[in-house]
Amino acid sequence: MIKYIPATERYHIFHPKDYFVNEDEDGIVTITSQNGETNMTLSGYESNGEVDAKVLTEFITEVTQGYELQTEPKIEQFGNGLKISGKYKKDGNDWLWKIYSEEKAIVVVSVNGDGVLSEEEIKLNEFMLDNFELYSN
């Protein structure tokens, strides 16, 4: 696994050596499997105030508009902050959406596959996100 820190230095994430990483000029990071079947996108934001469960719930509802809900979003502790996650479907593809927050820092993560995400793909992406660290200042 290779550690990646974007230019914003908002977080770090580990990814497999054979995955492709791209960061655009807006700081949006895309991590793609070698075969192109899975794709993880990370976008960083700064909130005007503290982020609570209500803010996360509204945010995930907004970013997943137009997606078919598969599992109700779940809020959990994440370090000194919170995270919300849910499973969705759009155009026949599986999507995992997660939003991580700590103080005013927010990172939105989407994972999608070409069709149905396999259990192996889900576990690898979950492992990458279990070792994800958000820098709040």
Side-chain angles (χ1 to χ4, degrees):
M1 297 291 258
I2 296 173
K3 184 177 182 177
Y4 183 79
I5 301 173
T8 62
E9 297 181 348
R10 172 63 66 207
Y11 59 87
H12 78 245
I13 189 164
F14 290 90
H15 64 86
K17 292 178 184 178
D18 60 347
Y19 275 41
F20 302 103
V21 178
N22 181 57
E23 183 174 357
D24 69 14
E25 65 255 6
D26 294 325
I28 297 172
V29 174
T30 306
I31 302 172
T32 307
S33 63
Q34 188 176 28
N35 59 13
E37 290 181 358
T38 60
N39 190 44
M40 179 186 290
T41 303
L42 301 101
S43 312
Y45 301 91
E46 188 78 22
S47 172
N48 293 332
E50 289 293 315
V51 180
D52 60 13
K54 182 178 185 250
V55 169
L56 285 181
T57 301
E58 290 172 355
F59 204 166
I60 201 164
T61 300
E62 183 179 318
V63 298
T64 59
Q65 204 165 39
Y67 290 78
E68 179 186 338
L69 181 65
Q70 300 293 302
T71 63
E72 212 47 55
K74 180 179 174 184
I75 295 179
E76 300 174 284
Q77 283 297 124
F78 171 73
N80 294 322
L82 297 171
K83 75 174 178 179
I84 189 169
S85 58
K87 293 181 181 180
Y88 300 82
K89 206 169 220 17
K90 186 173 184 179
D91 300 328
N93 296 318
D94 286 346
W95 288 78
L96 304 175
W97 282 89
K98 296 178 181 278
I99 302 176
Y100 295 84
S101 68
E102 193 169 301
E103 295 179 18
K104 295 181 180 183
I106 300 171
V107 174
V108 177
V109 179
S110 67
V111 177
N112 67 301
D114 186 15
V116 176
L117 286 168
S118 71
E119 197 62 36
E120 182 180 317
E121 292 167 330
I122 291 171
K123 284 181 182 177
L124 177 58
N125 281 282
E126 290 294 338
F127 177 78
M128 291 165 60
L129 292 168
D130 284 346
N131 293 286
F132 167 87
E133 190 171 322
L134 179 60
Y135 306 132
S136 58
N137 45 2

